[in-house]
Amino acid sequence: MTDKHKVLLTIPMYPDMELTAAKTGSVIAELMSFNEGQIEEIQLAIIETCINAFEHSQSRDNQIVIEFIMKDNELEFKITDQGVGFKSTSKHTAPKKNVYSDLRKRGWGLEIIKTLMDEVEIKTGTNGTTVSIVKRKTV
Amino acid sequence: MTDKHKVLLTIPMYPDMELTAAKTGSVIAELMSFNEGQIEEIQLAIIETCINAFEHSQSRDNQIVIEFIMKDNELEFKITDQGVGFKSTSKHTAPKKNVYSDLRKRGWGLEIIKTLMDEVEIKTGTNGTTVSIVKRKTV
Amino acid sequence: MKKALNIQIREAEEHAVIEMEGYLNDSLGEELSEEAHTLIEKGYTKLVINLEKTSLINSIGISILIEIIESLDEHEGTLNFCGLTSTQERTFRMMALAKYAGIFPDEKAAIANL
Amino acid sequence: MKKALNIQIREAEEHAVIEMEGYLNDSLGEELSEEAHTLIEKGYTKLVINLEKTSLINSIGISILIEIIESLDEHEGTLNFCGLTSTQERTFRMMALAKYAGIFPDEKAAIANL
Ligand SMILES: Nc1ncnc2c1ncn2[C@@H]1O[C@H](COP(=O)(O)OP(=O)(O)O)[C@@H](O)[C@H]1O
Ligand SMILES: Nc1ncnc2c1ncn2[C@@H]1O[C@H](COP(=O)(O)OP(=O)(O)O)[C@@H](O)[C@H]1O
């Protein structure tokens, strides 16, 4: 894989900036001939990952770097912040689904990403977090 | 101006990749409340500048970096390649408009950019070229 | 003014329809929430939210939809959605939203099933 | 197959209309050029190019449009455009394309003025 197939985007942590990332991903996915539904899924995954970084990373430089890697049959995107990382105590579990108050509680972002994408890998530490996501053209 | 208002995009010199840059610019312009016509103009200017870098820069790293700087009333974008720069001999002049054969000849890119945008500045040398463009919300 | 741009309300005898345009995030979600609560205060207990022109919905937007379902439920009302993309429908089902609100292909069906 | 996706041809008695979807760059431009030349070979000298669904046109795309005007001119034909955005029209006028081809708001007017 050469740099020929990489796009790098740096956005500030700023309301609505996740849309810039999502739209950039959308055009790349379109050029790769993903279908409409998959393009929407990719946009959602980018949006949720960026919002998580905005909300939880406490990053000092207030920036997110997104690396898009176009492969023959899949799009990989790595979303990196230089924040404080995931709290080691908060093991992530999917929220319960039965009661409104549970429903309303946040905690759906990662769940949505995992459902819509083919691979999700989180590397996190006190120097920051990288969420690597793979979406394949055919499931 | 802080980094809060900067978006950085690196794309490979690869057919259609100029669309990625144009669409990223388009979302940024939309978030900044540029109108539809202006957004199209910004996209065209990005496309023409990127195509010029693809065609003329002879860049070794095959990359273009685009820096979007969002200001209150204007969008500035700087498009940089690490290529050989403009040929010092070829003073750029607008092509003639009377005869087909002249019409057809290339050489319209910069002309289009200058017509559609408010400011265009070219810094070029043997280490590469940066085209800085400003589009204002109101003329 | 802002409301007029992004949110349309259509009030009928027995029900009301809310239609939004754009990206359903926290800020559009807040506008939506205000509109919905105004309608509930007016006495409407049967609402349709038409998402045809809503291009993207993030998880914060979905939480706000859940809050509206909850408010309606307190008034023994009903909410139906229409105009979802297949991805939106998938997300709504995953988040069990579909248990508490109907999902219909178009506004006509959503209204008929209130 | 590719052609069917991006380019539509509508042949009438006296004229033909070409409509394209998407980004008019070198590759779509080449397809367009082929279609136009096929029509000219068939004897059509009055063509309309409908740009309503053409979202963006780069300078290479415009050069190809100029080549088509030139070919038609050799056959004493006429080309009219329709469906341009105001930015496209501005670019066309700047490049003096408007001197050699008509620009009309819609297909009906473009056909009527061939
Ligand atoms: N970039 C990040 N930096 C630090 N923590 C994160 C990051 N992304 C996610 N997290 C952690 O993962 C948790 C789960 O995220 P998510 O499923 O999106 O739910 P929510 O954002 O609603 O809490 C967050 O509450 C947060 O603790
Ligand atoms: N990024 C670049 N690197 C080197 N030369 C450039 C670059 N951009 C433009 N040029 C020079 O400027 C000239 C004019 O560009 P333009 O007006 O777009 O016309 P065209 O690309 O059709 O030649 C080009 O022919 C080229 O010599």
Side-chain angles (χ1 to χ4, degrees):
Chain A
M1 197 52 44
T2 66
D3 279 354
K4 193 172 149 185
H5 300 94
K6 269 189 199 165
V7 170
L8 208 70
L9 178 72
T10 307
I11 57 168
M13 294 184 172
Y14 193 74
D16 285 345
M17 268 298 135
E18 73 276 14
L19 267 188
T20 310
K23 287 292 165 196
T24 306
S26 155
V27 195
I28 292 171
E30 209 182 315
L31 291 175
M32 289 177 70
S33 308
F34 277 94
N35 69 37
E36 218 177 298
Q38 293 170 320
I39 293 174
E40 187 185 345
E41 289 168 7
I42 289 167
Q43 290 193 74
L44 265 189
I46 294 172
I47 285 175
E48 294 301 327
T49 315
C50 287
I51 291 179
N52 271 346
F54 289 6
E55 287 192 338
H56 305 296
S57 74
Q58 300 168 44
S59 148
R60 293 133 296 173
D61 71 352
N62 268 302
Q63 290 193 329
I64 298 178
V65 177
I66 303 154
E67 189 181 352
F68 296 95
I69 304 155
M70 296 163 266
K71 300 180 187 174
D72 282 344
N73 240 335
E74 61 183 49
L75 174 63
E76 182 177 358
F77 44 100
K78 300 182 182 185
I79 302 182
T80 300
D81 65 65
Q82 305 223 45
V84 296
F86 279 51
K87 287 188 215 83
S88 57
T89 43
S90 75
K91 200 185 145 288
H92 179 73
T93 46
K96 284 184 215 142
K97 300 183 187 182
N98 327 35
V99 199
Y100 286 139
S101 55
D102 281 322
L103 254 183
R104 214 182 9 171
K105 260 187 219 148
R106 303 292 310 287
W108 282 103
L110 278 174
E111 215 51 38
I112 291 175
I113 297 163
K114 284 177 187 163
T115 305
L116 300 178
M117 299 290 110
D118 293 305
E119 284 177 30
V120 181
E121 193 196 44
I122 300 170
K123 282 193 188 137
T124 186
T126 48
N127 288 324
T129 300
T130 295
V131 181
S132 301
I133 297 173
V134 173
K135 180 70 180 176
R136 298 204 182 86
K137 269 191 218 171
T138 42
V139 188
Chain B
M1 197 53 44
T2 66
D3 279 354
K4 192 172 150 187
H5 300 93
K6 268 189 201 167
V7 171
L8 209 68
L9 178 73
T10 306
I11 57 167
M13 293 184 174
Y14 193 73
D16 284 346
M17 268 299 135
E18 74 275 14
L19 268 187
T20 311
K23 287 292 164 195
T24 305
S26 153
V27 195
I28 292 170
E30 209 182 314
L31 292 175
M32 289 177 69
S33 307
F34 276 95
N35 69 38
E36 219 177 297
Q38 293 171 320
I39 293 173
E40 188 186 344
E41 290 168 5
I42 289 168
Q43 289 193 75
L44 265 189
I46 294 172
I47 284 176
E48 294 301 326
T49 314
C50 287
I51 291 179
N52 271 347
F54 290 6
E55 288 193 337
H56 304 297
S57 74
Q58 301 169 44
S59 149
R60 294 133 295 172
D61 71 351
N62 268 301
Q63 290 194 330
I64 298 179
V65 177
I66 302 153
E67 191 181 352
F68 296 95
I69 304 155
M70 294 164 267
K71 301 181 186 173
D72 283 344
N73 239 334
E74 61 183 48
L75 175 62
E76 182 178 357
F77 44 101
K78 300 182 182 185
I79 301 183
T80 301
D81 64 65
Q82 306 223 43
V84 296
F86 278 52
K87 287 188 214 84
S88 55
T89 44
S90 75
K91 199 184 145 288
H92 179 71
T93 45
K96 284 183 216 142
K97 300 183 189 184
N98 326 34
V99 199
Y100 285 139
S101 55
D102 281 322
L103 254 183
R104 212 180 12 170
K105 260 188 220 149
R106 304 292 311 286
W108 283 103
L110 279 173
E111 214 51 37
I112 291 175
I113 298 164
K114 284 176 186 163
T115 304
L116 301 178
M117 299 289 110
D118 293 306
E119 284 178 29
V120 181
E121 191 196 45
I122 300 170
K123 282 194 187 134
T124 186
T126 48
N127 287 324
T129 300
T130 296
V131 181
S132 301
I133 296 173
V134 173
K135 180 71 180 175
R136 296 204 185 88
K137 270 190 217 171
T138 42
V139 189
Chain C
M1 281 307 292
K2 220 185 154 190
K3 154 187 146 189
L5 283 173
N6 300 316
I7 303 194
Q8 277 207 352
I9 312 286
R10 289 186 284 279
E11 299 183 34
E13 192 87 9
E14 294 276 324
H15 69 269
V17 178
I18 309 179
E19 188 167 7
M20 282 159 302
E21 211 173 315
Y23 172 36
L24 183 49
N25 57 0
D26 43 350
S27 70
L28 182 56
E30 261 166 47
E31 287 181 55
L32 165 67
S33 179
E34 265 176 44
E35 294 295 337
H37 285 103
T38 306
L39 288 169
I40 294 172
E41 274 160 35
K42 278 188 184 174
Y44 284 103
T45 55
K46 291 164 186 265
L47 296 186
V48 166
I49 296 185
N50 186 335
L51 297 170
E52 214 163 313
K53 295 181 185 156
T54 310
S55 51
L56 287 166
I57 306 177
N58 72 17
S59 59
I60 305 175
I62 297 185
S63 318
I64 289 167
L65 294 176
I66 293 170
E67 279 169 21
I68 294 171
I69 295 178
E70 198 174 9
S71 303
L72 265 177
D73 201 54
E74 280 167 17
H75 295 79
E76 289 174 22
T78 337
L79 178 67
N80 284 344
F81 291 104
C82 65
L84 281 76
T85 65
S86 61
T87 305
Q88 285 165 351
E89 187 167 339
R90 199 170 153 199
T91 321
F92 278 30
R93 295 200 184 280
M94 185 192 115
M95 291 176 67
L97 245 162
K99 270 195 192 167
Y100 306 99
I103 295 178
F104 296 91
D106 54 41
E107 195 169 307
K108 217 177 140 193
I111 292 170
N113 286 283
L114 272 169
Chain D
M1 281 307 291
K2 222 184 155 192
K3 155 187 145 188
L5 283 173
N6 299 318
I7 304 195
Q8 276 207 354
I9 312 286
R10 289 187 285 278
E11 299 182 34
E13 192 87 7
E14 295 276 324
H15 69 268
V17 177
I18 309 179
E19 188 166 8
M20 282 161 300
E21 210 171 317
Y23 173 35
L24 183 50
N25 58 1
D26 43 351
S27 69
L28 182 56
E30 263 167 46
E31 287 181 56
L32 165 67
S33 179
E34 266 177 44
E35 294 296 337
H37 285 102
T38 306
L39 289 169
I40 294 172
E41 275 160 35
K42 278 188 184 174
Y44 284 104
T45 55
K46 290 163 186 265
L47 296 185
V48 166
I49 296 184
N50 186 336
L51 297 170
E52 214 164 312
K53 295 180 185 156
T54 310
S55 51
L56 287 167
I57 306 177
N58 71 17
S59 58
I60 306 176
I62 296 185
S63 319
I64 289 167
L65 293 176
I66 293 171
E67 278 170 20
I68 294 171
I69 295 177
E70 199 175 8
S71 304
L72 264 178
D73 201 53
E74 282 167 16
H75 295 77
E76 288 172 25
T78 336
L79 178 67
N80 283 342
F81 291 103
C82 66
L84 280 77
T85 65
S86 61
T87 305
Q88 286 165 352
E89 187 168 337
R90 200 170 153 198
T91 321
F92 278 30
R93 293 199 186 279
M94 184 192 117
M95 290 174 70
L97 246 163
K99 270 196 195 166
Y100 306 99
I103 296 177
F104 296 91
D106 54 41
E107 195 170 307
K108 216 178 140 193
I111 292 171
N113 287 282
L114 272 171

